[in-house]
Amino acid sequence: MTTNDFSAARPTPRHDPESLSPATVSAGHGPGPAPADLLRRLRARGAGDPVTHVERVPARAGVPAPWPSWAPAELQAAFTRRGVVAPWQHQVQAATLAYEGDHVVVATGTASGKSLAYQLPALATLLADPRATVLYLAPTKALAADQLRAVAALELEGVRPACYDGDTPRAEREWIRRHSRFVLTNPDMLHHGILPGHAQWSGFLRRLAYVVIDECHTYRGVFGSHVAHVLRRLRRQCARFGATPVFVLASATSGDPATAAGRLTGLPVTAVTEDASPRGGVTFALWEPPLLPPDSGATPPDSSSVPGQATGDRSSAPAPGQASGDHSSAPAPGQATGDHDDLRQVRRSALRETADLLADTVAEGVRTLAFVRSRKGAEVVAANARRSLDDAVPGLGDRVAAYRGGYLREERRELERALLHGDLLGLASTNALELGVDLVGLDAVLICGYPGTRASLWQQAGRAGRSGQEALAVLVARDDPLDTYLVHHPEAIFGAPVEATVLDPANRYVLAPQLACAAAEAPLTPADLVLFGDGAKEAVDELVAAGALRQRPTGWYWRHRERPEVDLRGEGGAPVCVVESATGRLLGTVDGGSSHFLLHPGAVYLHQGVSYVVDELDLADGCALVHVEEPDWSTHARDVTDLSVVSVRSYVDAGPVGMFLGEVDVTSQVVSYQRRRIATGEVIDTRPLDLPARELRTVAVWFTLSPQSLALAGVQSADVPGALHAAEHAAIGLLPLMATCDRWDIGGLSTAVHADTEAPTVFVYDGHPGGAGFAERAYGTASAWLRATRDAIAECGCETGCPSCVQSPKCGNGNNPLSKPDAIRVLDVVLANLPE
């Protein structure tokens, strides 16, 4: 069969229609092909072998343990009815520590039963003390809903579990506050609803015995730093009511979980890391999409043939103060260059390859979850897989759907139900389904592009095989420096430890707003400042000077009637509603920061396979009006950036090379968008936009080189901008190898002569106010980071530079100028002089 390239023409089916009928596709509950057999079939369906490495993760037997003596017989019987005959050793170890009053984090693999480790002590306490309460925090609503089902299924009298989040009807909220003893929520609702209304929650907080923090490794960067202070505010309110709850945290396998959990909670935490659960074997393949011929008319990286859908792989458009792209200041700092066509891609896009693989596995009757990095990408993969399946067997495409944030609650719940019950065989999802949701029965996971961290990679791969059966996981590499490096260096995935979680509660851009929130809840005292840690006194003094707080002998008081507006997730304010102008129907929402890129006037917006064009974006009212249209072009927002150095925190003087860490001011603005032909990637035109600029003070790492050292290395003066620009792109692409960040969490800028450094300079900065710890990590591992960057460029098989090495999908200058060979020379100079 020919490979479906999803060109503008009708695709050639990869499946023989006579060999497929709805009856031949199982509901996903029966035995499908073994993972190794399935992988062989997938590899055989294209030209050449796209698999660069296959790792066999062997099955493992479990080590059970007896129920602890303190666990009530009633609770043991309830778990036994649910199929838990005996707990695993690590579950008992963590549960006993928590029951005896120690704060504990259980950091074991996916599907290792972390839920029982916290349910056991929490529910035992609720049964023993009819007044005790438990608060459970999850990073997503879907995970909280899944845990609610699990606790409710135990049918324990008097526990009365309930979800309290933004989807909870107001009529139910009062009952939950008064009667529920096991409340499941998320940090956002704790921050916006429970803590500001602590007087109404006083009965619950006064009796709070446990705080469960699920999937705590997701609390990283600025979001994690905010959550750390929300938890300190919770501890403060509990103390005011006389309660000292025990914190029980669950995490994916991560580096130094005790330290990360301690930083998150502000408490000493004991880690349980020895995983005693059984595990089914996993066949894990690294898949590099095939090369395309030079004259194939290929579209830019990760584009789609869905009519009107924007191409590129921007996983989440930046919020105000979030990194908006990789930029070169050539020809002048912050000035956009002309309209350059993106260089043609070298490989078939990961989105197209994942869509084909999803269609193939569904056709085999294999229940499959495809993780896609962006909302747009999830829609594209689902739409293309549906189309391919319908070409083979009309109606078979109905067994595939997309799942992402921004859907209405009813849509999300129905998709979860359909997947769990086998009505759907394939689902293309963002990382909204990465965490914890018990997707029993899945046979395969497709991961479209490295998700940014090894922790996320293993979490996503672990969604399949949760019942102990053999499973298949496939990482499909994007045309990206990091993805390309990983599929050719499997030891960086399978032989390397999982990253440590990075967060910085001392970030003053986080600390000051959180102290303002705390003061609005109750006046701050000197003892409170100790709770909030380093920098709290200085932050309070700044708030007093700004007129936000008033100092009195009894403490610091919030001066305003309105509460402080603080966005935990740094997404740029309230979501923007997407409304169909003809009917007034709410299609979904987009976070405020992404609106400049995804909902600008003229942009194409995709929802459940239907494309819309934006008529108007009203940022003040948080609304975008759209109409149904299927144009033959896609849209691509373009922005410009300027950067100035504010201060230097630390530096290394390495002769002709300098390595610096410090504060910078970044100004960025979306100024235009391109329309490109879907079939060919041809640029039709560039249209101006009038959107406000956004300013950011953050932390950056940067290196400088002397012009003489570049000349000695063979870099001509005219080639310096392209050399630095290429090195900048690759360095940004490889930084997630060293830090728990995503390419979209960071930005960069390079220039042949920067006004502040007076030298050729490459900057990489955190895309969040005050920084998120990523630049510090880059500075601390500079030699290893830049060595991997140099290797990724040098080992790429292209001649002049491609998306696998030096091109960037989010470049504000259209990937121009770039010089691959000179980028290697630049990095050689840096590495030759920089100490290890």
Side-chain angles (χ1 to χ4, degrees):
M1 297 292 176
T2 59
T3 300
N4 178 0
D5 194 42
F6 290 121
S7 63
R10 243 355 223 179
T12 303
R14 290 164 61 107
H15 321 292
D16 180 0
E18 294 183 1
S19 68
L20 289 176
S21 69
T24 66
V25 180
S26 74
H29 299 292
D37 293 336
L38 177 60
L39 181 60
R40 274 195 295 271
R41 297 183 196 182
L42 296 176
R43 295 169 79 168
R45 284 179 172 156
D49 187 359
V51 174
T52 62
H53 179 80
V54 177
E55 187 81 9
R56 170 65 183 165
V57 182
R60 178 185 64 209
V63 182
W67 291 101
S69 59
W70 48 263
E74 176 186 357
L75 182 57
Q76 294 181 36
F79 279 119
T80 302
R81 288 194 301 270
R82 299 296 297 169
V84 182
V85 178
W88 306 115
Q89 196 173 74
H90 69 279
Q91 294 172 324
V92 173
Q93 181 185 358
T96 300
L97 284 167
Y99 191 78
E100 293 175 350
D102 290 331
H103 308 292
V104 61
V105 55
V106 53
T108 52
T110 306
S112 60
K114 292 186 285 288
S115 297
L116 189 140
Y118 55 73
Q119 289 173 2
L120 192 57
L123 294 173
T125 300
L126 294 186
L127 293 175
D129 180 358
R131 292 177 54 81
T133 60
V134 172
L135 182 67
Y136 168 94
L137 298 175
T140 65
K141 294 178 182 177
L143 178 53
D146 183 73
Q147 283 297 300
L148 174 63
R149 287 190 292 267
V151 175
L154 295 173
E155 299 179 341
L156 297 171
E157 185 176 355
V159 173
R160 300 186 293 274
C163 271
Y164 189 90
D165 57 31
D167 292 337
T168 305
R170 295 202 171 272
E172 297 179 14
R173 296 188 179 190
E174 178 63 23
W175 183 93
I176 293 172
R177 284 193 294 265
R178 290 180 175 273
H179 301 292
S180 177
R181 300 176 60 217
F182 197 119
V183 173
L184 302 99
T185 186
N186 51 64
D188 306 85
M189 181 56 80
L190 180 61
H191 164 63
H192 289 293
I194 295 175
L195 290 175
H198 56 83
Q200 296 174 299
W201 286 88
S202 59
F204 182 90
L205 295 175
R206 183 174 288 111
R207 305 189 302 271
L208 189 60
Y210 290 95
V211 177
V212 176
I213 306 173
D214 208 352
E215 305 291 0
C216 67
H217 64 281
T218 63
Y219 301 124
R220 59 178 177 84
V222 169
F223 178 41
S225 302
H226 273 295
V227 172
H229 288 298
V230 172
L231 295 177
R232 285 158 175 77
R233 286 162 50 202
L234 172 63
R235 290 173 52 205
R236 177 174 177 252
Q237 290 300 332
C238 289
R240 292 179 68 236
F241 293 121
T244 54
V246 173
F247 282 75
V248 186
L249 302 94
S251 170
T253 303
S254 64
D256 200 4
T259 298
R263 191 176 295 124
L264 184 65
T265 61
L267 295 164
V269 179
T270 302
V272 174
T273 58
E274 292 296 326
D275 192 340
S277 65
R279 181 183 63 194
V282 179
T283 299
F284 204 133
L286 304 183
W287 187 290
E288 187 172 41
L291 288 165
L292 292 173
D295 58 349
S296 64
T299 54
D302 280 353
S303 61
S304 163
S305 62
V306 174
Q309 177 60 33
T311 61
D313 62 353
R314 183 182 295 275
S315 66
S316 60
Q322 182 178 344
S324 57
D326 307 330
H327 302 274
S328 168
S329 54
Q335 179 179 343
T337 59
D339 297 338
H340 302 283
D341 278 334
D342 284 345
L343 298 179
R344 295 302 182 213
Q345 71 180 71
V346 172
R347 297 192 178 275
R348 194 165 184 264
S349 83
L351 287 178
R352 293 178 175 183
E353 198 78 354
T354 303
D356 272 0
L357 290 172
L358 180 59
D360 289 342
T361 55
V362 168
E364 294 276 1
V366 174
R367 290 178 64 185
T368 306
L369 181 61
F371 282 106
V372 189
R373 293 165 60 88
S374 68
R375 293 181 174 188
K376 179 174 61 183
E379 295 276 8
V380 168
V381 167
N384 283 337
R386 284 195 298 262
R387 185 170 63 182
S388 181
L389 288 166
D390 282 335
D391 282 339
V393 178
L396 190 55
D398 293 340
R399 306 292 296 277
V400 175
Y403 183 103
R404 61 172 175 80
Y407 282 177
L408 302 180
R409 178 192 183 190
E410 295 75 14
E411 290 180 288
R412 297 196 307 270
R413 298 294 177 263
E414 176 56 28
L415 288 168
E416 293 164 18
R417 185 208 64 77
L419 184 64
L420 288 169
H421 288 81
D423 299 331
L424 288 174
L425 277 179
L427 198 62
S429 172
T430 60
N431 63 359
L433 283 180
E434 174 183 324
L435 303 174
V437 179
D438 194 8
L439 303 177
V440 174
L442 286 177
D443 305 302
V445 167
L446 308 173
I447 304 169
C448 181
Y450 183 64
T453 66
R454 298 179 194 90
S456 288
L457 181 73
W458 289 108
Q459 281 289 105
Q460 293 182 4
R463 293 299 94 194
R466 289 177 68 86
S467 296
Q469 75 271 25
E470 294 282 319
L472 174 67
V474 180
L475 171 62
V476 181
R478 295 173 305 143
D479 242 350
D480 172 270
L482 180 55
D483 286 40
T484 302
Y485 181 86
L486 291 173
V487 295
H488 291 286
H489 292 81
E491 70 280 0
I493 294 177
F494 302 108
V498 176
E499 308 91 344
T501 303
V502 176
L503 67 151
D504 180 17
N507 180 341
R508 65 189 183 94
Y509 288 89
V510 172
L511 179 56
Q514 287 293 335
L515 285 168
C517 291
E521 292 156 7
L524 289 167
T525 66
D528 293 330
L529 301 189
V530 176
L531 174 66
F532 286 95
D534 294 341
K537 180 59 170 66
E538 293 80 1
V540 164
D541 290 342
E542 291 177 5
L543 290 169
V544 171
L549 297 183
R550 176 182 288 115
Q551 186 172 7
R552 291 286 183 263
T554 52
W556 292 272
Y557 289 73
W558 178 245
R559 297 188 59 180
H560 305 292
R561 179 174 299 178
E562 301 82 10
R563 283 186 44 77
E565 289 291 334
V566 178
D567 178 11
L568 297 189
R569 298 177 186 263
E571 292 177 342
V576 175
C577 297
V578 183
V579 178
E580 188 175 17
S581 54
T583 63
R585 180 168 65 102
L586 176 64
L587 298 176
T589 60
V590 170
D591 65 84
S594 300
S595 61
H596 288 227
F597 291 85
L598 302 182
L599 296 176
H600 61 76
V604 175
Y605 176 80
L606 192 68
H607 183 80
Q608 283 291 26
V610 179
S611 61
Y612 300 81
V613 173
V614 178
D615 300 313
E616 179 184 352
L617 172 62
D618 189 331
L619 292 171
D621 290 339
C623 179
L625 298 178
V626 302
H627 68 271
V628 176
E629 185 178 342
E630 293 193 3
D632 64 353
W633 40 262
S634 58
T635 55
H636 308 257
R638 308 188 73 184
D639 59 352
V640 295
T641 293
D642 196 8
L643 181 150
S644 60
V645 175
V646 177
S647 64
V648 175
R649 293 184 182 178
S650 181
Y651 71 94
V652 174
D653 184 350
V657 173
M659 180 67 64
F660 298 84
L661 177 72
E663 287 191 326
V664 297
D665 281 335
V666 181
T667 303
S668 63
Q669 183 177 20
V670 175
V671 295
S672 64
Y673 70 98
Q674 286 184 343
R675 296 191 307 160
R676 299 177 187 165
R677 297 285 181 201
I678 291 171
T680 65
E682 171 196 359
V683 176
I684 301 172
D685 57 21
T686 299
R687 300 189 172 190
L689 289 170
D690 184 19
L691 293 172
R694 291 179 285 186
E695 297 181 353
L696 165 71
R697 176 162 291 185
T698 187
V699 178
V701 57
W702 66 94
F703 62 82
T704 62
L705 305 95
S706 70
Q708 295 82 1
S709 67
L710 292 176
L712 288 173
V715 181
Q716 302 299 316
S717 296
D719 297 326
V720 169
L724 298 176
H725 193 193
E728 171 216 330
H729 281 184
I732 288 174
L734 269 293
L735 182 54
L737 193 65
M738 305 295 164
T740 52
C741 67
D742 185 272
R743 179 173 191 143
W744 304 94
D745 289 326
I746 49 183
L749 183 141
S750 56
T751 176
V753 182
H754 191 271
D756 295 325
T757 66
E758 299 181 349
T761 310
V762 172
F763 293 90
V764 175
Y765 58 86
D766 289 356
H768 302 275
F774 308 136
E776 284 93 336
R777 178 68 175 162
Y779 181 77
T781 61
S783 293
W785 166 43
L786 296 178
R787 172 67 60 188
T789 301
R790 192 263 181 209
D791 291 347
I793 300 173
E795 293 171 3
C796 185
C798 70
E799 293 184 7
T800 59
C802 70
S804 293
C805 55
V806 298
Q807 289 187 34
S808 169
K810 56 178 186 168
C811 180
N813 282 343
N815 284 302
N816 187 75
L818 292 174
S819 175
K820 174 183 174 178
D822 287 320
I824 297 172
R825 296 185 181 100
V826 164
L827 292 169
D828 282 340
V829 172
V830 175
L831 293 167
N833 290 277
L834 196 65
E836 289 293 332

